[in-house]
Every structure is written in C-alpha cells, then in structure tokens.
Amino acid sequence: MLSSVLLLLLISGAQAAYYGAIITNYFGDVQPFVLTYHFKESGSSCQEVDILQCGGNCNTPPVYAIDESRNEWCQKTRVDIYYRYGPNKFTYQHSVGSSSWIENRNGIVTPLLRISNDFRTRSDINKPNSTPQTTIIPLVRVPSNCQRNINLLVSDPDGDDIRCRYAAYPECNTCTPPSVLSVSSSCSLSFSPTNSSDEGPYAVQMRVEDFPRQTITLTDGNTGVQEVKTSSIAIGSIPFQFVFRVDPAAPSCTEGEYLPRFLPPTPEHGAQILTNNNQALEISVRAEVTQAETTELLFSGPPGSAKSSSGSGNFTLTWTPSARDAGLNYPLCFVVQANSSGSVYQSDLRCVFVTTGNTTVFRPSTTTPPQTTPPQTTPPLTTTMLTTTTNQPTTTTTPPRSSTPNATPVPGPNYVLALDAMISTTLLMETDSATIMNLIKEELKRQGLPSDITLKLLSSRLVGVTTPAP
C-alpha cells in the first residue's frame, strides 16, 4: 500500500498575532521538473512574521515583504525551490503551527496549515500536479449593515476544476467557520447585513482544491504503480486563511460615499495582465469617496511587488518579474481604504492575474526580428483566453528562396515552429473543437498574425498554425 509523507514544523516563540496564510506549489514545464513553494503568511507585525516563518533568521531561504497596514498587519512570503523532491514522495503534507490567531469571534486559537498534493505523474499532462494559485490580503473588512460579495480569484496551472470549502478536522485544530460568512464551491464568499452584536474579527479557514476535469491515471515513477483519479477526487488541497472583520455600521453603503469606489483606469476584477521577463509592470489604481478620505492601498501579490501614491485616491502597483517567474500566472489582489471620523472603510476586494513571459508577434522576416507587443489586459479566465507568451524566443521560418539573384521567392506556407500558449475555457475539445479553434484564431489575429492564417488540429493537445507568405 502506498504511504504518504508528513512533514510537521511547530514554531514557537513570541506571542505573534496570526492573521492567516496561503501555501501553494507549482511544477515547471522542463524536466527534471522543479518544484516551487510559495508560503505566504501574515501577522500583526513584520518582525512577528519573521519569527513565525523562520525563527527570526530569514537568510536561507529569504523572506520577502509584500505589504503592511499601519501597525495592524504585515504579510510576507517565502519562496522554496526544490530541484529534487524525492523519488518516493508522491504525496506531501506540510503543517505549520504558531502561537495564536488574532482574538476572534469564532474561537479559533491555534493555527494549523496543511498542504496536500500528489507528486505522481499525471497521464494528461505527463508531469506532477500543481496546486491552485490564489491570494488575499490578511484583513478584509465590511460595515455590519452593508452587503458584500467577495469573489476569490483562483487559477490552476493544469486547467483543473477548482472548488472551495471551509476546512474540516484534521485540516484545522478548531474548525468553527464564521457565522456571518458563507462560502460557495465556486469560491465566492457572501456577507449579509447583520446587527452590532456580530461585530468584530473572525478567523477564516478555507481549503482550495483542484479536481481533474476527466478521469486520469497517476503513476509512481519509482515503482510503476498506478492509481485512477476521477473528476470527483481532489488531487491537491491548499490552506487559504485570513481575517474577516465586521465593522460598525456605515452611514451609507453606497459605493463612492464612505466605501471607496474604483474608477478607470483601475483594471476590472479577473483581468489578465501580460508582461515580459525583467520588464517593469505598472498597474494604475484609482478610487474615490465623497464623505471620507482615501488613506491607503493594501495589496497581496507576487514577491517583489510594491505600491506608491501620487495623490488622494491615486495609486500605482509595480512589479518586475525575473526569469524564474516566466510563464507563471500570479494573482494580485488589492483594496483601497478610507477614513472618516476614526472609522475605516474598505472598497471591494479586486484581483487580477499577472502573467509573465516574452510576448511575441509572429511576423516571418529575413531582416528584422519578431516584434514585441506591450503589456495588455485580456478577458478574465472565465472566458476563453489565449496569450502568445513564451519562456524562450520563438522560432519562425521563412519561405524557401532561390539562390539566383532577384529570383521570385517560392510562395509559403510559413510555419510558426514554437508557440507556447495558455488556454483556459469551459469548452471541451472533444465536442467543441470548432468553436475552440475559431477562438484561438481570433486571439492569434489580435496578437498580430495575419487574418488569413490557417489552423490545423494535430491532436487533442496540439494545434498547428500556418501563416501565409509575406
């Protein structure tokens, strides 16, 4: 019988006020597969987070500061990279304990973090499973008299079905969910107006899980033993924890009065923003209130992201991806906070995806290299989306030419030999191939290819692209 491997790390020390954490992992696309862990944790101060994560010594591996909110909370992340993750370690669970949660209404005291994933090779992608990717700020707040829906932004590198739920034993020590907050399997949180007796902070302990969209086989590379996973069995399960605070009633729940309202050019929730490796990305965030004063932008994003302000209600988020970020789809979430007579008000939580890679327009040429498109925003992942992002320069060919001077070039076709593309859709290739192919063609045209390109389906996972002669 196959056994799992459990790693338990108990951290003690200063009485840190814990504000939640998220752990995700990701396998690269190049063999031998590299496993990257992102461990994002929050506490009442940045020094306490250092103690929680590495006993105060964060030299190896480094811990990156993400954001903090004026002596209330701090969020940091640690990035662990494993070039050898163990030939026999097909499942892995990681538990972390710390001193105590921030005092909360649902009686959660001792934190427990556990990530589960299956490291055996999947038959559909021929590599181990990557967990869902998501994030959130440590403290989300809403007035007790205002309706609020929080739509979490989650993605899965393997295209799996993602579902959310509250944690249950043994995924938590005390598992009482917040009485004022409901969660749907589609990862939406809902708060309905309540009375003053429910005001205060609540500890939120959730699980985000990925399920294969079809029956797959998992193979242990060491023994060859296989196991079948159906679409009703989770492959990976990550902890998703934060604090939800119910504040005193606001004079008005109308956005733009006390609760900040987002204005253009702030990207829409779920937008996908593309950038290139080592190219600085800037995201403009603008919000307004008429009966309060905007005070700060709070966010959670990838390591190295930062914020700045250029006046009341005008903010900029910046991030420069490195080579190790190539091809990754990072979630970035933010709120704008306002103050009026000592009361604090938050906007809706808004999240976007930032995707890295070298974005190339494929124009075959003998004299000039492929042109590079600027960062742009594409539709949310709930619709079909394809980007021509590549981790390495894309190779194109030109039509064969005669060695005779001034000879007429032999007409096409031209072929795109390498196209690293990412597609997210609810359509099935087996039944909706024509629709998918048409959507891919339209997206390639938007990326700069000629309007008369032709596409050929090579297999259920491969598409051939042919461009006409120049």
Side-chain angles (χ1 to χ4, degrees), residues 13-166:
Q15 292 297 309
Y18 177 81
Y19 273 74
I22 303 168
I23 307 178
T24 64
N25 65 37
Y26 172 83
F27 278 96
D29 292 327
V30 180
Q31 294 194 47
F33 300 119
V34 176
L35 174 64
T36 302
Y37 264 84
H38 285 264
F39 179 18
K40 192 174 292 184
E41 189 164 19
S42 307
S44 51
S45 75
C46 290
Q47 293 75 20
E48 290 169 343
V49 176
D50 286 344
I51 294 173
L52 290 171
Q53 289 217 356
C54 45
N57 181 8
C58 294
N59 293 322
T60 307
V63 173
Y64 304 92
I66 296 179
D67 197 14
E68 59 181 323
S69 176
R70 300 189 179 181
N71 300 318
E72 186 170 37
W73 55 259
C74 173
Q75 186 179 70
K76 290 190 173 185
T77 187
R78 189 178 79 228
V79 180
D80 298 332
I81 298 176
Y82 298 91
Y83 293 93
R84 292 180 62 88
Y85 48 89
N88 299 316
K89 197 182 295 183
F90 66 89
T91 60
Y92 178 80
Q93 297 185 54
H94 181 81
S95 300
V96 178
S98 61
S99 54
S100 62
W101 273 89
I102 180 178
E103 185 176 347
N104 54 82
R105 296 293 306 273
N106 48 330
I108 312 299
V109 178
T110 304
L112 177 64
L113 285 169
R114 179 171 295 171
I115 179 172
S116 301
N117 196 16
D118 202 315
F119 286 176
R120 292 173 293 179
T121 301
R122 296 175 48 150
S123 59
D124 55 342
I125 59 175
N126 200 32
K127 70 173 186 176
N129 184 66
S130 296
T131 67
Q133 310 292 305
T134 187
T135 195
I136 198 168
I137 62 172
L139 176 62
V140 177
R141 53 200 314 164
V142 61
S144 60
N145 59 325
C146 299
Q147 173 75 32
R148 176 66 56 87
N149 292 319
I150 304 169
N151 297 313
L152 304 180
L153 193 63
V154 291
S155 70
D156 188 88
D158 308 320
D160 292 328
D161 181 28
I162 303 174
R163 305 174 199 174
C164 292
R165 59 175 174 83
Y166 280 125

Side-chain angles (χ1 to χ4, degrees), residues 295-297 307-316:
T295 55
E296 59 185 330
L297 173 74
K307 64 183 180 182
S308 61
S309 176
S310 58
S312 180
N314 293 280
F315 307 93
T316 302

Side-chain angles (χ1 to χ4, degrees), residues 247-262:
D247 286 329
S252 169
C253 293
T254 302
E255 284 190 340
E257 295 184 1
Y258 291 89
L259 307 180
R261 176 179 63 182
F262 286 117

